[in-house]
Amino acid sequence: MASDIRMQSLAKPVTVAEYLFTRLHQIGIRSVHGLPGDFNLVALDYVPKCGLNWVGSVNELNAAYAADGYARAKGISAIVTTFGVGELSALNGIAGAYSEHVPVVHIVGCPSTISQRNGMLLHHTLGNGDFNVFANMSAQISCEVAKLMKPAEIADQIDHTLRECWVQSRPVYLWLPTDMVEKKVEGQRLDTPIDLSEPKNDPEREDYVVDVVLKYLHAAKNPVVLVDACAVRHRCLVEVRDLIKKTGLPVFVTPMGKGGVNETTSTYGGVYAGSGSSPAVKARVEGADLILSIGSLKSDFNTAGFSYRLSQLNTIDFHHDHCVVRYSEYPGVAMKGVLRKVIERVDLSKLSLGKPMNGVVNEVTKNRDDSSTITQAWFWPRIGEYLKQGDLVVTETGTSNFGIWETKFPPEVTGITQVFWGSIGWSVGAAQGAALGARDMCKDCRTILFVGDGSFQLTAQEVSTILRHGLRMTIFLIYNEGYTIERHIHGMDAEYNDIKKWNYADFPTVCGATEKESKSFIVKTKDELEKLLKDKSFNEAKGLQFVELWMPKEDAPRALKITAEISAKNNARTD
């Protein structure tokens, strides 16, 4: 009787599932990743009813990787798994999203509230009556956990959790019991969008920080800008662009910030990663008397083994929730507001730019030797000439992540990489998600994936999902006989770094691809690659293209060798 009375009090009753999936649509999600399981099946019936596309990956780990890639391309994503076995399989991907500040909504279909209350011995449980154990695990890698157990509270919980996902740019966890899926909540709330605006800085504190920043900027003789991961992840690239455009300051990116600025401008200087940088980049950045560091994430691989040589006395750090000027920290003063006022108030007549920049070029001729062998040193600059405006470029942990440093991007290229979490195999699923995200934004752009053979073998099944959705993608699989980055850290000839060679070019066919859906190529020489990269049909293809690209087993990008050597030394430290 009580529930009947409550339903009559709702102005516009809708089911919990309809409310949740409508909210996902309203915040920009158009495709939902995940896998079916008996605890989420009824909820999944509502996905198409709310204007969403169900993706369906081949396993939960790949689905989580794909949700990560979708969010990087489109802004935010969602994945649905089932209780226990499904959600745990996804956790590696969710942890990577948390580590790298990627907003993913993880929805877990779980047993009914009655089953939980009675401690029933259900499948997918540990058999101990504890239904909270998996949610407790996810709490460590989520910025918000919401258990949707009481209909009167569910709408508020959903709205709050989705806002936190967006504002904090990190995963959230929604626990949806089977008996709550079709309970009714107030649908009239859906007429008012969730407020996704970021909290404003206190004006007085913000103005104070701006004044301090400008004091040091106007006094500097050789300032530079360094753009890092959180400038991308926390949506600060418009401010970065406007700052560079107005001031003409030299700008560099970190490996995790690559793609965050227009690399074709004369003010762009390249990738800075401490000792892994080119000598010219290292000299310019480390010789600066002021570094405006935007969104830094100083992990080991992002800094080439913590090899930065930057004085904090010469650094201003802008973060999504605080700023640091030299050794003074300003909690709660976020970078977006500060940068916007710096742009508005900077006095160009007081600004010194130091030595003029010459821009960056793809050093193809310089790195081409007389052999027919495709080398890492030649390949990555050559790829810079193959890429075109608007491409999505996904690089795998390993040679690709380090090689892409030597590639100059055309304008509006989105770089997608997982340098910090570094889970091998991530890129195959992430590329699927990124390509789908681009298509959901009505962008007819190419998604180009660079992945090593070792990484590919971990998540190769996701090629099936790429084909099923007819995504536009070119996969460059680097065949170099195993785990190259591990070889350079330790065990160049060790058996544990070897893998079984597959017939990689046949893999799309194994996944059911027709000749119309996919084309495969085996490329072993520079001339063969040149011919392929210049081929018009290859450049303009709409479906899947799979390139098995042969490279020497022991070859690696310059930056990888340097970083691997430093990593090996760090691993061996005993004090």
Side-chain angles (χ1 to χ4, degrees):
M1 175 68 73
S3 62
D4 292 339
I5 294 172
R6 183 183 175 280
M7 265 197 62
Q8 292 172 7
S9 67
L10 298 176
K12 186 180 178 182
V14 298
T15 65
V16 168
E18 183 179 353
Y19 188 92
L20 172 58
F21 291 125
T22 299
R23 280 304 201 199
L24 295 185
H25 191 280
Q26 288 179 345
I27 63 175
I29 295 169
R30 293 294 177 269
S31 295
V32 177
H33 287 87
L35 272 83
D38 61 335
F39 292 128
N40 66 27
L41 293 176
V42 175
L44 295 185
D45 288 338
Y46 287 86
V47 170
K49 294 177 183 178
C50 297
L52 298 170
N53 170 45
W54 173 249
V55 181
S57 293
V58 292
N59 61 55
E60 286 87 358
L61 175 60
N62 285 3
Y65 288 159
D68 181 309
Y70 186 95
R72 292 177 193 245
K74 197 167 190 305
I76 192 168
S77 68
I79 174 175
V80 181
T81 62
T82 197
F83 180 76
V85 293
E87 61 180 308
L88 293 187
S89 292
L91 283 199
N92 179 28
I94 300 297
Y98 185 89
S99 170
E100 300 216 348
H101 295 250
V102 180
V104 178
V105 181
H106 187 189
I107 302 162
V108 177
C110 64
S112 69
T113 57
I114 297 171
S115 299
Q116 295 181 48
R117 187 166 60 246
N118 294 335
M120 295 179 68
L121 200 65
L122 294 180
H123 61 287
H124 299 344
T125 72
L126 299 179
N128 60 1
D130 185 357
F131 287 83
N132 294 303
V133 61
F134 308 130
N136 292 340
M137 293 179 186
S138 283
Q140 305 302 309
I141 53 173
S142 305
C143 69
E144 191 76 24
V145 171
K147 297 179 179 180
L148 309 182
M149 307 282 281
K150 300 177 180 179
E153 300 173 1
I154 285 175
D156 277 331
Q157 287 178 293
I158 290 172
D159 289 0
H160 172 73
T161 303
L162 295 185
R163 172 176 163 75
E164 289 303 301
C165 184
W166 177 263
V167 171
Q168 295 193 43
S169 196
R170 276 187 156 151
V172 294
Y173 180 95
L174 285 167
W175 212 37
L176 181 56
T178 55
D179 59 338
M180 291 294 110
V181 171
E182 296 191 298
K183 293 290 186 183
K184 302 295 183 178
V185 296
E186 181 54 77
Q188 200 169 60
R189 295 172 59 114
L190 295 173
D191 296 336
T192 304
I194 298 173
D195 178 13
L196 298 180
S197 62
E198 297 177 25
K200 301 294 184 182
N201 293 328
D202 175 85
E204 289 188 5
R205 297 180 69 201
E206 181 178 82
D207 286 339
Y208 180 82
V209 175
V210 170
D211 288 342
V212 175
V213 170
L214 289 174
K215 181 182 77 171
Y216 289 114
L217 180 57
H218 290 150
K221 301 301 181 185
N222 186 27
V224 300
V225 177
L226 182 61
V227 179
D228 208 337
C230 288
V232 181
R233 298 270 51 87
H234 289 275
R235 302 171 291 276
C236 201
L237 292 184
V238 172
E239 286 74 18
V240 170
R241 181 200 64 198
D242 291 349
L243 176 68
I244 302 307
K245 183 178 180 180
K246 181 173 182 178
T247 64
L249 287 167
V251 59
F252 299 82
V253 298
T254 68
M256 292 182 71
K258 187 159 174 62
V261 302
N262 183 353
E263 299 185 6
T264 65
T265 64
S266 61
T267 56
Y268 174 67
V271 177
Y272 175 72
S275 297
S277 317
S278 71
V281 169
K282 188 175 186 295
R284 185 63 188 267
V285 175
E286 295 179 1
D289 61 350
L290 182 67
I291 299 157
L292 303 180
S293 174
I294 304 176
S296 69
L297 206 167
K298 297 176 182 177
S299 69
D300 52 354
F301 278 10
N302 202 33
T303 62
F306 306 114
S307 63
Y308 274 22
R309 295 295 178 265
L310 307 177
S311 170
Q312 188 60 44
L313 281 172
N314 294 336
T315 303
I316 299 176
D317 290 299
F318 301 91
H319 295 282
H320 73 283
D321 57 359
H322 72 285
C323 292
V324 181
V325 183
R326 304 176 82 177
Y327 285 104
S328 298
E329 183 170 343
Y330 301 94
V333 182
M335 60 184 170
K336 283 179 77 86
V338 172
L339 286 172
R340 179 51 57 193
K341 286 185 177 177
V342 167
I343 295 163
E344 294 169 355
R345 300 177 186 178
V346 63
D347 186 343
L348 299 181
S349 68
K350 297 180 180 179
L351 202 60
S352 299
L353 301 180
K355 184 181 177 181
M357 300 287 289
N358 297 319
V360 172
V361 297
N362 286 303
E363 299 281 4
V364 181
T365 303
K366 177 181 176 181
N367 287 290
R368 180 172 183 130
D369 56 29
D370 294 332
S371 73
S372 63
T373 303
I374 301 171
T375 63
Q376 298 275 351
W378 173 79
F379 175 72
W380 295 106
R382 179 62 186 88
I383 285 299
E385 295 185 344
Y386 156 72
L387 298 177
K388 62 184 182 181
Q389 185 169 345
D391 284 343
L392 284 169
V393 177
V394 184
T395 51
E396 173 62 55
T397 296
T399 57
S400 302
N401 264 356
F402 290 90
I404 205 70
W405 300 9
E406 311 300 330
T407 303
K408 173 189 170 185
F409 284 169
E412 298 177 29
V413 167
T414 300
I416 296 177
T417 183
Q418 195 193 61
V419 174
F420 189 16
W421 186 244
S423 183
I424 65 171
W426 162 88
S427 68
V428 184
Q432 180 262 98
L436 192 59
R439 192 169 73 181
D440 283 356
M441 290 187 288
C442 300
K443 289 185 177 180
D444 184 26
C445 60
R446 304 184 303 181
T447 297
I448 302 166
L449 166 62
F450 298 95
V451 58
D453 50 1
S455 297
F456 180 76
Q457 289 197 9
L458 272 75
T459 50
Q461 317 96 308
E462 204 57 23
V463 170
S464 176
T465 312
I466 292 166
L467 289 166
R468 186 158 58 88
H469 288 276
L471 298 175
R472 186 182 186 188
M473 188 179 302
T474 298
I475 298 176
F476 287 93
L477 181 134
I478 298 172
Y479 168 61
N480 55 5
E481 303 180 64
Y483 303 122
T484 300
I485 189 169
E486 282 79 6
R487 291 192 196 282
H488 282 271
I489 294 175
H490 181 79
M492 180 59 71
D493 298 310
E495 184 179 4
Y496 49 71
N497 286 327
D498 296 336
I499 60 173
K500 172 70 174 175
K501 185 189 183 306
W502 292 359
N503 296 325
Y504 296 102
D506 295 336
F507 198 80
T509 303
V510 172
C511 293
T514 64
E515 291 184 6
K516 184 178 179 181
E517 293 173 318
S518 176
K519 292 184 179 179
S520 292
F521 311 86
I522 298 177
V523 177
K524 299 182 179 181
T525 69
K526 289 189 184 79
D527 288 344
E528 290 174 351
L529 182 59
E530 285 281 11
K531 182 179 179 181
L532 184 64
L533 296 182
K534 293 176 181 177
D535 184 85
K536 182 178 180 182
S537 61
F538 179 77
N539 279 274
E540 297 178 357
K542 299 295 184 181
L544 173 63
Q545 298 186 115
F546 195 102
V547 183
E548 181 182 320
L549 187 77
W550 287 39
M551 288 188 178
K553 175 180 176 180
E554 297 184 7
D555 190 20
R558 174 192 56 80
L560 187 152
K561 294 177 183 178
I562 294 170
T563 306
E565 181 180 352
I566 296 172
S567 294
K569 290 178 179 177
N570 286 339
N571 291 343
R573 289 180 63 178
T574 58
D575 57 353

